[in-house]
C-alpha cells in the first residue's frame, strides 16, 4: 500500500479509530493519560531557539499544524551561518565536510521521518518531513538521503562557511606535533578561530497547539570534527526526539552517544506518562543516564559524574513544560502564548 493511500485510509478512519482505541483498550494502571486541553498553545526549544519559538508560535496562532510550525522555527537557525551547530555554517567532520542529522515527529499520526549524514542540503528538517510523508521509511542516510532530497527538488550547496572552514583548519593544524600541518603564529590568529573544543550543538523544538496536538523536530550538524559518517542522537527516534500525542513530547541536545544508549527522549515521555512533570521527567532521565555512565570511566569526572553535557526539553499534553541539563547553567526558550523568553533549565549537577 502506498504511503498516500495508507494516509488517506488512516485519515478516513481516524475519528473512529481514535475513539475505539480509547474505548477499547484501557491504559495500563500505572500509565496516566491526560485529556487534551483546548486553548493551550506552547512552544519549547533549546537555548539557541528563541527565534524558533517566536516563529512557531506565530504560525500556531494562525492554525498551522504543530509540525509545520516547529520546522519553520528551526529553519531560521538552520539558515543562520552564525549558529555553528546546525545547518548552514555548522562545523564540519574531520575531512572538513558538513554532515547534517535531523528528525521530525508528528503526534496526531504518530509518524516520524529522519535523515542522517546528509551533505549539501541546508534544511535537513524539511527533508526529514518528506521522508515521513513521501516514503514508507523513517530514516534515510548519506548518499541515499541526498538523492531523495534532490528528487524532491532540493538544490545542493556548499554548507561550509569561511569561518567554519578556518576553525576546522585550526583544529586540524593543532592535532599533532608530528604531522606536516603548521598552525599560524598565535598573534596572527583571531581569538574566535583558536582551536575549538569538540561541541555537539543542535536545536530541538517541541510544540502543542490548541487542539492538544503535539509535534517536534531536532536538527544538528552533530559533533564537530566527527569521523565521517558518525550519527548522533538527533535523527534517532526515541533518542533525540519522541512524541506521544496522548502524553507529551521531548527532545535533546548534547552528547548524542550517551543519549542513544539510553533512548533519553522516549524515557522523558514515558516518565511523563507515569505522572512526572516535564522537568521531573527530564531530571529522572538524566539520573538514569548518569548511573549507566558509571560503567564508562573515561566519561567520568574525578568524583564519578558524567563529564559531558546533555540536555532535555519537554512539554506535556496539558501544555506544562520543563527542561533539565546534566550540568548547571543551561537555558531553554519558551513561548507560552503571551511571552517568549529564555528560562533557566533545572540541572542534575552544579558546575564549579
Ligand atoms: N546531540 C547532537 C549530537 O550528538 O550529534
Amino acid at each position: 500500500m502506498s504511503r498516500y493511500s495508507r494516509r488517506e485510509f488512516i485519515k478516513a478512519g481516524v475519528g473512529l479509530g481514535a475513539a475505539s482505541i480509547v474505548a477499547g483498550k484501557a491504559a495500563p494502571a500505572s500509565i496516566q493519560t491526560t485529556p487534551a486541553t483546548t486553548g493551550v498553545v506552547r512552544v519549547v526549544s533549546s537555548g539557541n531557539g528563541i527565534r524558533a519559538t517566536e516563529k512557531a508560535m506565530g504560525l500556531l496562532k494562525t492554525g498551522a499544524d504543530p509540525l509545520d510550525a516547529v520546522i519553520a522555527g528551526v529553519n531560521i537557525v538552520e539558515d543562520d551561518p552564525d549558529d555553528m551547530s546546525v545547518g548552514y555554517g555548522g562545523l564540519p567532520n574531520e575531512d572538513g565536510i558538513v554532515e547534517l542529522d535531523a528528525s521530525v515527529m508528528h503526534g496526531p499520526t504518530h509518524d516520524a521521518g529522519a535523515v542522517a549524514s546528509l551533505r549539501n542540503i541546508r534544511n535537513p528538517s524539511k527533508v526529514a518531513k518528506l521522508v515521513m510523508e513521501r516514503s514508507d521509511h523513517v530514516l534515510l542516510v548519506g548518499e541515499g538521503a541526498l538523492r531523495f532530497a534532490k528528487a524532491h527538488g532540493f538544490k545542493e550547496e556548499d554548507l561550509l562557511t569561511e569561518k567554519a572552514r578556518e576553525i576546522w583548519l585550526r583544529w586540524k593544524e593543532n592535532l599533532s606535533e608530528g604531522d606536516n600541518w603548521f598552525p599560524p603564529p598565535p598573534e596572527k590568529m583571531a581569538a574566535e578561530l583558536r582551536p575549538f573544543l569538540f561541541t555537539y550543538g543542535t536545536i530541538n523544538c517541541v510544540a502543542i497547539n490548541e487542539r492538544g496536538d503535539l509535534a517536534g523536530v531536532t536538527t544538528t550538524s552533530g559533533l564537530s570534527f566527527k569521523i565521517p559518517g558518525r550519527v548522533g542522537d538527533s535523527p534517532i527516534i526515541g533518542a533525540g526526539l519522541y512524541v506521544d500525542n496522548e502524553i507529551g513530547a521531548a527532545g535533546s541536545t548534547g552528547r548524542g552517544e550517551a543519549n542513544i544508549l539510553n533512548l533519553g527522549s522516549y524515557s522523558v515521555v514515558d516518565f511523563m506518562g507515569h505522572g512526572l512533570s516535564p522537568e521531573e521527567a527530564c531530571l529522572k532521565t538524566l539520573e538514569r543516564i548518569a548511573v549507566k555512565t558509571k560503567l564508562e570511566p573515561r566519561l567520568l569526572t574525578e568524583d564519578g559524574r558524567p563529564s559531558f553535557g546533555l540536555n532535555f526539553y519537554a512539554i506535556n499534553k496539558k501544555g506544562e513544560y520543563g527542561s533539565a541539563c546534566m550540568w548547571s547553567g543551561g537555558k531553554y526558550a519558551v513561548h507560552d502564548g503571551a511571552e517568549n523568553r529564555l528560562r533557566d533549565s533545572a540541572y542534575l549537577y552544579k558546575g564549579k
Side-chain angles (χ1 to χ4, degrees):
M1 185 182 285
S2 75
R3 170 67 49 123
Y4 181 75
S5 56
R6 185 157 69 96
R7 268 185 193 291
E8 290 305 291
F9 172 78
I10 291 167
K11 216 193 280 174
V14 77
L16 182 61
S20 59
I21 288 166
V22 172
K25 188 179 157 205
S30 57
I31 300 272
Q32 175 190 312
T33 56
T34 313
T37 309
T38 52
V40 175
V41 187
R42 304 265 189 271
V43 188
V44 172
S45 184
S46 39
N48 55 349
I50 194 79
R51 291 170 296 164
T53 48
E54 185 72 36
K55 175 79 182 176
M57 180 56 73
L59 288 168
L60 286 179
K61 285 186 171 173
T62 67
D65 181 89
L67 185 54
D68 290 332
V70 293
I71 291 174
V74 301
N75 287 163
I76 296 170
V77 183
E78 287 177 332
D79 288 340
D80 180 359
D82 291 330
D83 189 315
M84 304 188 82
S85 69
V86 179
Y88 178 69
L91 288 171
N93 67 20
E94 67 180 21
D95 291 341
I97 299 169
V98 180
E99 289 183 333
L100 304 178
D101 299 338
S103 64
V104 301
M105 192 157 183
H106 186 234
T109 52
H110 199 70
D111 210 350
V115 289
S117 297
L118 177 64
R119 299 181 176 188
N120 296 352
I121 306 289
R122 65 165 64 198
N123 297 123
S125 60
K126 289 184 184 173
V127 186
K129 182 165 185 263
L130 279 171
V131 172
M132 180 183 94
E133 291 178 334
R134 303 288 291 277
S135 83
D136 190 36
H137 308 310
V138 173
L139 173 60
L140 293 179
V141 305
E143 179 62 26
L146 176 59
R147 282 161 59 176
F148 179 81
K150 286 166 69 179
H152 282 276
F154 284 81
K155 299 281 177 264
E156 286 192 76
E157 63 181 311
D158 186 357
L159 303 179
L160 189 69
T161 58
E162 269 304 286
K163 185 173 172 189
R165 184 192 58 75
E166 288 212 44
I167 290 170
W168 165 78
L169 187 59
R170 289 300 94 78
W171 167 80
K172 188 171 175 63
E173 289 170 340
N174 283 279
L175 271 182
S176 161
E177 294 287 315
D179 65 21
N180 300 312
W181 294 77
F182 298 159
E187 66 276 11
K188 291 212 169 150
M189 214 190 295
E192 76 268 22
L193 300 180
R194 300 237 168 89
F196 226 77
L197 291 176
F198 286 103
T199 167
Y200 294 92
T202 310
I203 181 168
N204 164 256
C205 190
V206 289
I208 186 166
N209 70 8
E210 60 184 16
R211 291 186 298 281
D213 285 332
L214 292 140
V217 58
T218 304
T219 174
T220 189
S221 53
L223 175 66
S224 54
F225 321 130
K226 58 195 173 189
I227 295 175
R230 177 265 185 189
V231 173
D233 57 332
S234 303
I236 307 299
I237 298 299
L241 180 68
Y242 194 70
V243 180
D244 184 323
N245 213 44
E246 303 303 314
I247 299 172
S252 68
T253 63
R255 182 178 160 82
E257 281 73 8
N259 194 19
I260 292 171
L261 290 171
N262 294 280
L263 288 182
S265 292
Y266 179 82
S267 164
V268 171
V269 172
D270 196 42
F271 278 130
M272 290 195 291
H274 285 81
L276 269 60
S277 72
E279 183 178 294
E280 289 166 346
C282 294
L283 282 167
K284 203 82 185 150
T285 297
L286 287 165
E287 262 173 42
R288 183 184 267 179
I289 293 170
V291 168
K292 294 293 184 195
T293 305
K294 291 194 184 300
L295 301 169
E296 187 86 86
R298 75 188 170 89
L299 294 175
L300 295 174
T301 60
E302 278 175 5
D303 52 1
R305 297 164 174 193
S307 57
F308 52 82
L310 184 57
N311 322 299
F312 290 101
Y313 316 92
I315 190 165
N316 68 15
K317 188 74 173 169
K318 293 187 217 165
E320 296 165 339
Y321 50 84
S323 162
C325 304
M326 191 66 82
W327 291 93
S328 59
K331 300 224 179 253
Y332 69 118
V334 179
H335 201 313
D336 63 8
E339 186 188 26
N340 187 34
R341 70 176 171 91
L342 289 176
R343 295 166 190 261
D344 292 330
S345 297
Y347 55 87
L348 203 55
Y349 302 119
K350 190 160 177 54
K352 291 186 183 114

